[in-house]
Amino acid sequence: MHSAKVPLQNPPIKWAEGHKGVFNIEVQAVSSVHTQDNHLEKFFTLCHSLESQVTFPIRVLDQKISEMALEHELKLSIICLNSSRLEPLVLFLHLVLDKLFQLSVQPMVIAGQTANFSQFAFESVVAIANSLHNSKDLSKDQHGRNCLLASYVHYVFRLPELQRDVPKSGAPTALPDPRYHTYGRTSAAAVSSKLLQARVMSSSNPDLAGTHSAADEEVKNIMSSKIADRNCSRMSYYCSGNSDVPSSTTAPRPASKKHFHEELALQMVVSTGMVRETVFKYAWFFFELLVKSMAQHVHNMDKRDSFRRTRFSDRFMDDITTIVNVVTSEIAALLVKPQKENEQAEKMNISLAFFLYDLLSLMDRGFVFNLIRHYCNQLSAKLNNLPTLISMRLEFLRILCSHEHYLNLNLFFMNADTAPTSPCPSISSQVIKELFN
């Protein structure tokens, strides 16, 4: 108990045992709003400084952070998220993951310079997933998946909303800059001057004035190209970043806009060391993130009725091919190790099968059947133990055969006119033969 100086009493009071404390009081703060964890508090505070116009330096706990140091401190806070206490991390898990996913695709300009947090955010998600799986205090389902992560993907995850305001039809067209900007003390002016500055702000440096007519021309170019391409007046953040947007006369944007599913697949491909090992150890989580983000992308872009081959970019399909090949190689490598590694190989094999099962509903099915063929060929070439090979392939194909279109797509028809009509045509769907050889 903290002892304070006792004021003089009149009449004087005689204290027993020299004013010795009789009992101690301990106060424990309980809050559903404040994180009560320094690592989480710093991360959320720095993210808030990007989302709103604040005056620098900002105070985070007992530290003052200037605008120039913001990028470095945010990267440190992302790295230290895994050091947070388990209880507050679990309570704020959905917010932490949402912020990390937003940072992975959100182009940001800090002090006039482009900041990229994609790799740091992805590695932090991997570390958090590993910590949650290794915790003995958290429950797992019958398949060994962490229930918190499974619930997050199923009920909570949504594509990062990078463009806040979508113009209504008939309203004046506006293209809000989807990047975060920071404003130093010198640029903190009256509200009216900030609004005026935002109208003529340079697209590459928020501290430099740009040409208003050039900015308007850039908006018109983007709008006209998207209207012609999609035949709709709705502005979407994901549409505006494609490579087919004509270049404008203004200075180039320092950060290109990204699709979340493409960025996630890219980070899975380029990951190395312990990060890659952890990604494929808990492949189910990242596969389900990929599938759900792809499905939401198709829905948001109104591509449900378009040809499957045009739904996703060639670069993304190449990344998917690389991921499947790497996971297949990892499965084969685990199967030649001692018996204790077989369980992990079986889990990865099942996760990969369900991933391709979901891709049959989203991607070009000829492309997916090629992935299945490569899986079978690659596993056959690397495994000499015939019983293990048969067991893994049969379990893999058992899951795929449960797809509603799998058997129909493998039936042989002498005439294309006699084949049943597909509910969603695939440009290059083909019959993959000799899967069971």
Side-chain angles (χ1 to χ4, degrees), residues 40 81-97 100-101 123-141 144-153 278 281-282 284-286:
L40 294 178
L81 280 177
N82 191 43
S83 301
S84 305
R85 292 185 294 111
L86 181 62
E87 183 178 357
L89 179 60
V90 168
L91 291 175
F92 292 87
L93 179 64
H94 61 294
L95 294 177
V96 172
L97 294 179
L100 290 174
F101 291 148
E123 292 180 357
S124 181
V125 171
V126 173
I128 291 174
N130 186 50
S131 297
L132 296 180
H133 274 94
N134 292 335
S135 174
K136 297 180 180 180
D137 299 327
L138 300 178
S139 59
K140 297 179 181 179
D141 62 14
R145 306 182 306 170
N146 180 269
C147 293
L148 285 173
L149 293 177
S151 299
Y152 171 82
V153 175
T278 306
K281 183 177 181 181
Y282 307 116
W284 71 267
F285 175 64
F286 298 97

Side-chain angles (χ1 to χ4, degrees), residues 240-432:
S240 59
N242 294 338
S243 59
D244 58 344
V245 177
S247 58
S248 63
T249 57
T250 59
R253 292 182 179 271
S256 59
K257 301 170 185 177
K258 308 173 184 177
H259 299 290
F260 177 79
H261 61 278
E262 292 182 349
E263 184 63 25
L264 179 58
L266 175 62
Q267 292 297 331
M268 292 176 67
V269 169
V270 301
S271 60
T272 57
M274 289 298 298
V275 176
R276 166 171 285 201
E277 182 179 338
T278 306
V279 166
F280 295 128
K281 183 177 181 181
Y282 307 116
W284 71 267
F285 175 64
F286 298 97
F287 283 160
E288 291 194 9
L289 277 178
L290 265 177
V291 169
K292 190 164 186 180
S293 61
M294 292 166 63
Q296 292 183 6
H297 169 74
V298 171
H299 173 76
N300 294 344
M301 298 291 291
D302 197 19
K303 289 187 174 182
R304 294 184 300 275
D305 298 328
S306 61
F307 288 111
R308 291 169 176 257
R309 194 172 182 82
T310 63
R311 291 178 178 178
F312 304 99
S313 65
D314 292 338
R315 182 179 61 180
F316 175 70
M317 296 173 69
D318 290 340
D319 289 339
I320 293 296
T321 302
T322 302
I323 291 173
V324 173
N325 290 337
V326 171
V327 173
T328 304
S329 299
E330 185 66 20
I331 292 173
L334 289 175
L335 288 174
V336 298
K337 290 183 178 180
Q339 185 70 23
K340 60 181 180 180
E341 301 289 349
N342 284 1
E343 182 180 356
Q344 179 60 33
E346 291 174 359
K347 290 181 179 179
M348 292 177 60
N349 188 60
I350 292 174
S351 298
L352 180 60
F354 276 111
F355 177 58
L356 296 179
Y357 172 97
D358 292 329
L359 292 188
L360 283 172
S361 300
L362 293 170
M363 301 186 73
D364 177 67
R365 288 168 297 199
F367 169 76
V368 179
F369 272 94
N370 274 325
L371 296 179
I372 298 172
R373 181 183 62 183
H374 291 323
Y375 163 87
C376 294
N377 293 340
Q378 192 173 355
L379 211 61
S380 300
K382 294 188 177 183
L383 288 183
N384 297 323
N385 190 335
L386 187 59
T388 303
L389 172 63
I390 294 176
S391 174
M392 298 296 287
R393 286 180 56 177
L394 284 179
E395 180 66 16
F396 182 86
L397 293 174
R398 180 189 66 81
I399 295 172
L400 287 171
C401 287
S402 63
H403 191 277
E404 58 181 340
H405 296 154
Y406 183 84
L407 292 178
N408 293 337
L409 291 171
N410 279 278
L411 295 177
F412 178 77
F413 294 94
M414 295 298 295
N415 190 343
D417 297 334
T418 62
T421 304
S422 172
C424 187
S426 179
I427 290 180
S428 62
S429 292
Q430 53 184 308
V431 177
I432 304 301

Side-chain angles (χ1 to χ4, degrees), residues 43 46-47 49-50 67-79 81 99-111 113-125 180-182 255 258 263 267:
F43 173 71
L46 294 179
C47 287
S49 67
L50 293 176
E67 186 178 10
M68 300 302 297
L70 178 60
E71 178 181 356
H72 175 71
E73 292 296 333
L74 182 54
K75 289 180 179 178
L76 287 180
S77 70
I78 294 174
I79 295 173
L81 280 177
K99 293 292 184 184
L100 290 174
F101 291 148
Q102 189 170 24
L103 288 172
S104 66
V105 296
Q106 176 74 74
M108 284 179 290
V109 177
I110 300 178
Q113 300 296 325
T114 302
N116 187 2
F117 299 97
S118 298
Q119 182 179 355
F120 293 93
F122 176 76
E123 292 180 357
S124 181
V125 171
Y180 290 147
H181 294 281
T182 60
K258 308 173 184 177
E263 184 63 25
Q267 292 297 331

